[in-house]
Amino acid sequence: MTLIAPGRSSGFQSLERIPVTHLKRVGPRIAERLARLGIRTVQDLLFHLPVRYQDRTRLLPIGELIVGEDALIEGEVSEANIAFGRRRSLKVWLADGASAGVLLRFFHFSPQQVAAFKPGARVRCYGEVRQGHDSLEMVHPECRFQNEIATETESRLTPIYPSTEGLQQSAWRGLIEQALGWLAHLPPAEYLPEETLDPLALPGLVEALRYLHHPPLGTSLVDILERRHPAFLRLAFEELVAHQVSLRRMRASQGTIAAPVLAGDGGLRQRLRAALPFQLTEAQERVATEIAADLLQDRPMQRLLQGDVGAGKTVVAALAALQSIEAGCQAALMAPTELLSEQHHRSLTAWLTPLGVESLWLAGRHKGRERAELLESIASGRARLVVGTHALFQDEVTFRDLGLVIIDEQHRFGVHQRMKLREKGGRNGGAPHQLIMTATPIPRSLAMTLYADLDLSVIDTLPPGRTPIVTVAVPDSRRDDVIERVRMACGQGRQTYWVCTLIDESEALECQAAEETARQLGERLPGVRIGLVHGRLKSADRDAVMVGFAGGELDLLVATTVIEVGVDVANASLMIIENPERLGLSQLHQLRGRVGRGAVESHCLLLYHAPLSAVARERLGIIRATASGFEIAERDLALRGAGEVLGTRQTGTVQFRVADPVRDQALVTPAQRAADLILARYPDAVEPLVARWMGNREAYGQV
Ligand code: ADP
Ligand code: MG
């Protein structure tokens, strides 16, 4: 790999000023792909750290393979054939003299590949070792044949970078290599005061970055994977500081912004309460009071309302909206998808229309005249409650006098989007109050770190009279029984979700798996009306399928984890989750919350792949025995880090890149202190520090 000659850099003073397009082999197309990940400068590239590393530094004898671990092996093909089972596959047996050998399996393969695996061929493979029926297996390992096998193994750990479509790992390595060349020439600015770093005895920034991109031979893979190495801690600390600085700054600026005092006469709220078929729970009353008090202040409320799936957040939101409306202001409610926003609109209008309160739903499908009329209704103030997606942020949407914004499922919206909402304020130039609702249970301690700019309200009990969901774990050897169960449920007019998951692999593979499953279930279940949703469908198409399912036109919905958030189909009482052992507990709990919304008892079948590790067994045990999302989150935290609790993978919570406020707890207090110091004494460091870690992330919070 040749390094770019930094001598050409003369114009640049710092890494954050060098655009990626200045690097070799970065044209507009690559630049656009990098921008999708928020990478625009050489500094951004250097702070794009590997998610994991592969050890291709040594060949492992086939007899020493360990299930669940990645390994580099080499051997001779003893046999290869195409099997026609549930799914056509190419099976190749590889042996290295000793031991029973290992089975390589391919579900996608070309005739050339079949020919290449002729008996006697020498192959080097890298992949994850799994326990198959009769032997160890590797599914779709990376393979090199005799003529391509370099005699040497790699001399250091191979970093694997988080990527986006159209950027191969080899491309990443080339880019990072060039960025490291610049790093030597132009070290990044140090924004942390020495007195904050010294007591922690952490390495310098340059050393840490170099180490993480190029871990030397002999590095303990465990240390580095579990993020215990000082190089990680150095960056984690800086990130925590940047995060705290940004939140504190935001919090401070709230105190200087005016908000409308929402002092209504309580009339509408009274009438809503009287019309409800139930009494609010104590927990709902408590948080409603907290919110009502905030709305009487002349500073914008910034409150996070947490409550498990089904805890009854919507009615609390409705009361808050009515308080704004009573005071002569509008209210807006935003949900992460059109489907969810439509559902909200439906349930809210059922409550508000009898009170004579006009509400309106604004969606992407509203076009032309219709759209113009809706926009006019918002601008004139005729629409008192406006429901929609983040499209409500758009410039074309002008409110007459917006008093309150309610955001459902907070984790889809980023901090910066919330900031932007302020601009939607009312005619007097004030900012609206903000209520952010989430069903992602976050333990209080963690919430205080993550959302230091927000006040916290928690609905900690469910309304009475819920039938718990019966959750059972079933090995996938009993898949046929499970399919039979689906047939029966659908036959009885009960709807079913079938969730396909493939964590750690690309979204593309996950979508493929869902397509394949839908096809197979279609063959096995004639007469059952099957719909399919996954992340690669256009959101309008996805919504169309979801609407069909919600309307009872589909019996069975095959989905990837995109259905995780908030869909409410009361008639769905059975859910199958494939590979539950690969999901976080909170994510499982959220998924499971899609059923159990109607009167009949609901069931959730966790279709796992045997054998389970001890930890996996414990985790599935927790999910079976525990109904409370908060309890699950606490136990999840004890078992794993914060990233998993938050479900970073699909939800777009790009809150932290390196740090993990749970794992790195010891750094949290020093980071808070450092943030105070920087804000007080080093104001010039504030902007560039926040920009380095949080700036310009377009992907942030997008669905
Ligand atoms: P979530 O917190 O998940 O948004 P919802 O607001 O959708 O929950 O409430 C779930 C269901 O519980 C709704 O049908 C709602 O009308 C009902 N509900 C809310 N509060 C109560 C209560 N205090 N008693 C009985 N049912 C309630
Ligand atoms: Mg809800």
Side-chain angles (χ1 to χ4, degrees):
M1 183 69 50
T2 47
L3 296 184
I4 188 165
R8 286 202 276 128
S9 69
S10 43
F12 299 111
Q13 290 116 29
S14 68
L15 290 172
E16 57 233 88
R17 301 257 162 100
I18 310 176
V20 284
T21 45
H22 200 71
L23 300 178
K24 279 195 288 184
R25 291 183 297 276
V26 182
R29 266 187 34 242
I30 302 279
E32 191 272 320
R33 286 172 195 164
L34 290 171
R36 266 189 253 152
L37 295 168
I39 298 173
R40 291 187 174 73
T41 67
V42 170
Q43 171 174 286
D44 292 338
L45 256 181
L46 285 167
F47 281 79
H48 188 71
L49 297 177
V51 262
R52 60 196 166 87
Y53 301 84
Q54 294 177 343
D55 187 353
R56 297 163 188 252
T57 59
R58 66 206 170 96
L59 281 172
L60 209 63
I62 291 175
E64 289 175 24
L65 294 180
I66 299 172
V67 173
E69 291 192 359
D70 288 357
L72 184 70
I73 57 172
E74 193 175 310
E76 262 178 26
V77 174
S78 59
E79 193 186 336
N81 58 46
I82 296 174
F84 298 88
R86 195 152 61 77
R87 214 170 145 189
R88 201 172 76 104
S89 67
L90 171 63
K91 295 165 118 181
V92 178
W93 279 266
L94 198 70
D96 60 0
S99 76
V102 61
L103 174 61
L104 315 178
R105 258 183 202 280
F106 302 85
F107 295 104
H108 309 279
F109 48 90
S110 63
Q112 291 89 323
Q113 277 169 306
V114 178
F117 284 111
K118 58 181 184 298
R122 197 149 189 86
V123 190
R124 183 177 285 186
C125 300
Y126 185 88
E128 186 190 329
V129 182
R130 302 190 188 177
Q131 182 64 56
H133 273 299
D134 322 300
S135 65
L136 295 180
E137 301 183 351
M138 281 188 182
V139 177
H140 278 270
E142 289 171 43
C143 295
R144 294 206 183 289
F145 292 91
Q146 198 133 35
N147 48 354
E148 304 163 328
I149 297 177
T151 35
E152 291 303 311
T153 50
E154 302 283 331
S155 65
R156 56 186 175 222
L157 296 177
T158 310
I160 304 294
Y161 292 94
S163 191
T164 181
E165 210 166 315
L167 273 177
Q168 306 290 330
Q169 288 300 325
S170 54
W172 278 109
R173 292 199 266 275
L175 292 171
I176 298 284
E177 210 68 37
Q178 294 185 61
L180 287 171
W182 282 96
L183 179 68
H185 181 67
L186 270 182
E190 179 63 82
Y191 299 125
L192 301 183
E194 250 170 58
E195 63 256 55
T196 65
L197 284 171
D198 286 348
L200 299 168
L202 296 174
L205 200 49
V206 172
E207 193 186 331
L209 287 170
R210 195 176 287 289
Y211 188 94
L212 295 173
H213 289 296
H214 274 178
L217 199 58
T219 301
S220 149
L221 204 54
V222 174
D223 260 19
I224 192 163
L225 285 178
E226 294 186 356
R227 310 292 197 245
R228 286 190 303 233
H229 192 278
F232 266 113
L233 298 181
R234 169 66 180 75
L235 293 177
F237 179 63
E238 182 170 324
E239 185 174 30
L240 286 170
V241 175
H243 188 79
Q244 288 297 323
V245 164
S246 144
L247 293 179
R248 267 154 215 248
R249 195 173 53 153
M250 207 164 348
R251 177 123 207 162
S253 77
Q254 279 158 31
T256 67
I257 296 174
V261 174
L262 302 177
D265 63 1
L268 290 172
R269 281 171 281 170
Q270 278 295 326
R271 285 166 59 200
L272 173 61
R273 282 165 176 277
L276 289 175
F278 51 77
Q279 289 247 304
L280 295 197
T281 61
E282 240 177 79
Q284 284 171 315
E285 289 289 2
R286 189 185 61 242
V287 303
T289 308
E290 288 166 356
I291 293 164
D294 280 2
L295 297 181
L296 289 173
Q297 306 299 313
D298 60 359
R299 300 282 169 239
M301 168 173 79
Q302 297 280 329
R303 189 170 280 279
L304 180 67
L305 171 56
Q306 276 192 279
D308 208 346
V309 192
K313 296 183 287 296
T314 317
V315 67
V316 172
L319 287 169
L322 287 177
Q323 183 168 346
S324 180
I325 293 163
E326 281 168 11
C329 290
Q330 291 166 291
L333 188 149
M334 296 196 309
T337 67
E338 294 225 330
L339 177 72
L340 286 169
S341 70
E342 187 182 14
Q343 260 178 16
H344 269 307
H345 183 247
R346 219 181 297 132
S347 43
L348 288 169
T349 34
W351 285 336
L352 300 197
T353 308
L355 307 181
V357 172
E358 200 166 318
S359 68
L360 161 166
W361 178 53
L362 184 69
R365 76 185 63 154
H366 296 129
K367 299 260 155 54
R369 269 281 289 289
E370 193 185 11
R371 186 170 194 85
E373 277 167 23
L374 291 171
L375 290 174
E376 199 281 321
S377 184
I378 299 171
S380 73
R382 203 166 51 250
R384 309 307 294 149
L385 174 70
V386 180
V387 183
T389 61
H390 53 278
L392 296 184
F393 285 115
Q394 287 163 12
D395 289 339
E396 59 163 356
V397 185
T398 318
F399 289 83
R400 176 151 186 276
D401 198 349
L402 184 58
L404 168 68
V405 179
I406 300 160
I407 306 176
D408 196 18
E409 297 304 347
Q410 174 276 335
H411 54 290
R412 298 272 177 133
F413 295 98
V415 172
H416 301 283
Q417 287 175 312
R418 281 197 272 121
M419 294 283 281
K420 195 146 187 271
L421 268 177
R422 286 184 180 167
E423 296 158 18
K424 293 281 173 198
R427 52 193 158 187
N428 303 324
H433 296 278
Q434 290 185 21
L435 177 65
I436 298 137
M437 306 196 286
T438 177
T440 309
I442 302 168
R444 197 171 191 99
S445 59
L446 182 54
M448 310 256 283
T449 315
L450 293 180
Y451 304 113
D453 63 323
L454 303 176
D455 293 308
L456 192 59
S457 287
V458 182
I459 305 182
D460 48 10
T461 49
L462 292 185
R466 291 280 159 86
T467 320
I469 302 164
V470 179
T471 304
V472 290
V474 184
D476 58 8
S477 54
R478 285 180 49 206
R479 194 182 173 94
D480 286 349
D481 300 347
V482 171
I483 294 175
E484 195 49 41
R485 180 113 178 233
V486 173
R487 184 204 309 281
M488 280 172 52
C490 292
Q492 294 163 357
R494 292 159 53 178
Q495 288 167 287
T496 302
Y497 293 102
W498 187 297
V499 185
C500 303
T501 66
L502 260 181
I503 290 293
D504 287 341
E505 300 186 39
S506 73
E507 189 189 9
L509 277 180
E510 182 170 270
C511 298
Q512 257 177 28
E515 273 166 12
E516 179 63 22
T517 304
R519 198 187 55 70
Q520 280 169 20
L521 290 173
E523 279 172 12
R524 300 282 305 271
L525 299 169
V528 171
R529 297 165 302 172
I530 302 179
L532 171 67
V533 292
H534 57 62
R536 292 216 149 178
L537 295 178
K538 288 209 196 78
S539 72
D541 296 341
R542 203 159 76 196
D543 278 5
V545 176
M546 293 301 310
V547 167
F549 187 66
E553 289 145 35
L554 296 169
D555 307 305
L556 172 62
L557 185 68
V558 177
T560 57
T561 44
V562 295
I563 58 151
E564 190 184 340
V565 177
V567 182
D568 197 355
V569 182
N571 189 46
S573 59
L574 177 61
M575 174 174 282
I576 321 298
I577 304 177
E578 288 199 75
N579 302 318
E581 68 276 19
R582 304 190 134 216
L583 291 184
L585 288 189
S586 290
Q587 202 178 7
L588 278 172
H589 177 70
Q590 295 270 308
L591 279 172
R592 173 173 70 172
R594 302 304 117 225
V595 295
R597 306 197 146 218
V600 299
E601 181 173 84
S602 288
H603 295 259
C604 177
L605 307 186
L606 305 173
L607 194 55
Y608 68 86
H609 186 66
L612 286 176
S613 68
V615 175
R617 201 169 308 126
E618 183 178 353
R619 289 153 54 75
L620 294 189
I622 293 173
I623 201 88
R624 275 167 39 216
T626 318
S628 150
F630 284 97
E631 203 180 321
I632 287 172
E634 297 280 1
R635 305 206 40 189
D636 208 5
L637 260 187
L639 281 172
R640 297 285 285 266
E644 190 179 8
V645 174
L646 296 172
T648 44
R649 182 163 170 271
Q650 299 253 340
T651 55
T653 310
V654 197
Q655 291 279 9
F656 291 98
R657 293 196 247 168
V658 190
D660 177 331
V662 175
R663 184 194 58 219
D664 305 327
Q665 257 172 41
L667 296 176
V668 169
T669 309
Q672 284 168 338
R673 250 186 258 129
D676 286 337
L677 183 74
I678 290 170
L679 285 165
R681 301 241 313 272
Y682 304 92
D684 291 347
V686 170
E687 277 304 328
L689 178 63
V690 171
R692 176 181 283 170
W693 287 97
M694 261 154 257
N696 298 328
R697 307 207 101 201
E698 253 182 25
Y700 199 94
Q702 282 184 4
V703 182

